[in-house]
Amino acid sequence: MAGELANFRVIEHSAFVAAPLAGMSLAQMGAEVIRIDPIDGPLDRSRWPVTPTGASLYWAGLNKGKKSILIDVRSPEGQELATALVCSGADRGGILLTNLGARGWASYENLSRRRKDVILAALSGFPDGTAAVDYTVNCATGLPYLNAGASPDAPVNGVLPAWDITTGLTLAMGILGAERHRRLTGEGQQVNLALSDVAFAMMGNLGFIGEAQINGHARKAEGNYVYGTFGRDFATGDGRRVMVTSFTLRHWKALCEACDMSKAVAELERRRGVSLDADAERYAAREDISALVAPWIGARPLEAVRQQFDAHGVCWGLYQDYGQLATELENEDPRCSPANAVFREVTQPGIGTLSAPGTPLQFGATACRDTAENNRYIAPRSGEHTDQVLSGVLSLSAGEIGRLHDRHIVAGLSTRD
């Protein structure tokens, strides 16, 4: 594939979100990413959401731009094939990405015997190797106690698997860092990453942990108020809902002008004896400010609110449900719909025609979005590339490949479907 990562090959042995996302992020920048899955198909091939026929939109969404080969890695011969794939490719290959256990054939000890400069990127749940998923890590971060409607005896889980996503992108960055090191030194290495480490490191980076340590108290749930400045959701006169924020002084002044409340704000400042130009004071006065903003927004339809906010440069957003997000509605923001340039309309085998995103990165030198081949937007069918990979990467003959199929060491479309 052409692109930023042309002549860059990664073998992926993975399931679920973080590791597949890491591989797909590399694939959509032009890397050749080859998935190894069991001969009866990927572990997560039926993960919801699914189509009415049971095809996994989740799996298709996280595996775009890859190739798929099915190997029985429980068998010695299958393990030898998998090892050979990882260690092939001279300076373009020698990289394994896995969250299914860096042991046996997939261990660094085994792979480095075959290829000294091999890179093994191994993802685990916890650093000690015990299992974890986003849900079982996020519950320990404290965040479910801050979500709207949460209480000490009824935490509210987030819907977005944020730690899986962050971990997948971190893992892709780790692979690129290890490959950069190899180019400079000729050295391979094992790169370890734990989902829990990513989550708790980010809780530290964002100040959640330090706040409790230094200030002596944990943050409390505030509903949809933005912590530390003014921001909240409001209902428009025609039943839509908008999110309004004031992270900067410019945005605060713009909101005051747009809602024609500058005089009311001056009176509020006089009454409280403070300047609401300060984030902390706006946060302390959030309910009083909301009492000024809510009637103005509630008296107007969305389109009038939009025009006034945009004219004054207010920082705001529109609430959408999934149906509205999936459809480019009249008068809606195309930046927040499949009309966004990151999407392409493609026909995904087994699913149908849908809007599929490519990489959000824009590279000036390669114009990735404008010249991207369609296969960057389409996930492979399980086993679609088995014969192609065996012949093209491992230089096996048709007879050798046929014998592997006969002994059920490998499988492809013709042998599975």
Side-chain angles (χ1 to χ4, degrees), residues 35-310:
R35 278 190 62 105
I36 295 177
D37 284 305
I39 57 175
D40 57 352
L43 295 176
D44 52 353
R45 62 189 178 278
S46 301
R47 188 76 170 85
W48 283 29
V50 298
T51 67
T53 61
S56 175
L57 292 158
Y58 163 102
W59 193 91
L62 288 169
N63 289 285
K64 297 186 293 291
K66 302 177 186 178
K67 295 178 180 178
S68 171
I69 179 171
L70 303 181
I71 303 177
D72 178 12
V73 294
R74 295 167 297 183
S75 69
E77 194 168 359
Q79 293 169 5
E80 172 59 27
L81 282 175
T83 300
L85 279 176
V86 173
C87 296
S88 66
D91 61 349
R92 68 175 295 180
I95 303 174
L96 173 64
L97 158 64
T98 185
N99 68 328
L100 299 181
R103 54 186 177 270
W105 74 268
S107 69
Y108 184 73
E109 179 183 17
N110 174 63
L111 296 172
S112 62
R113 277 198 299 263
R114 180 76 66 88
R115 178 168 177 161
K116 295 298 183 183
D117 66 347
V118 74
I119 294 170
L120 170 58
L123 175 64
S124 62
F126 288 101
D128 63 2
T130 53
V133 296
D134 191 285
Y135 301 100
T136 61
V137 168
N138 189 58
C139 62
T141 63
L143 293 177
Y145 290 110
L146 299 182
N147 288 328
S151 65
D153 60 344
V156 177
N157 288 336
V159 177
L160 181 72
W163 303 127
D164 276 336
I165 295 167
T166 309
T167 298
L169 298 176
T170 301
L171 190 59
M173 183 171 61
I175 291 170
L176 294 177
E179 201 271 341
R180 167 73 171 170
H181 176 80
R182 185 172 71 180
R183 283 186 177 272
L184 293 174
T185 68
E187 296 175 347
Q189 61 182 302
Q190 179 167 338
V191 180
N192 293 318
L193 183 66
L195 177 73
S196 62
D197 283 351
V198 173
F200 298 122
M202 192 56 64
M203 293 300 291
N205 293 339
L206 295 174
F208 284 88
I209 295 174
E211 180 180 38
Q213 291 175 329
I214 300 301
N215 296 344
H217 60 81
R219 194 176 304 182
K220 303 297 182 182
E222 291 285 358
N224 284 347
Y225 281 111
V226 174
Y227 188 64
T229 187
F230 178 73
R232 211 199 79 178
D233 61 307
F234 296 94
T236 66
D238 54 353
R240 299 302 299 274
R241 205 158 195 91
V242 296
M243 184 70 191
V244 180
T245 67
S246 63
F247 279 96
T248 68
L249 180 58
R250 181 175 67 82
H251 288 146
W252 168 240
K253 296 298 186 183
L255 178 62
C256 292
E257 294 170 3
C259 295
D260 192 24
M261 61 182 196
S262 296
K263 289 184 179 179
V265 165
E267 174 58 24
L268 178 59
E269 289 177 317
R270 186 196 64 76
R271 192 169 71 248
R272 295 179 68 94
V274 300
S275 170
L276 295 179
D277 287 356
D279 283 333
E281 297 299 342
R282 291 199 296 277
Y283 179 67
R286 58 193 178 279
E287 293 184 358
D288 289 336
I289 297 172
S290 294
L292 299 176
V293 176
W296 188 92
I297 294 178
R300 292 165 175 79
L302 171 62
E303 191 53 34
V305 172
R306 182 202 306 276
Q307 291 178 7
Q308 188 76 345
F309 278 3
D310 287 350

Side-chain angles (χ1 to χ4, degrees), residues 96 114 162 182 264 324 381 395 407:
L96 173 64
R114 180 76 66 88
R182 185 172 71 180
Q324 292 163 332
R381 293 171 291 174
S395 300
R407 296 198 304 277

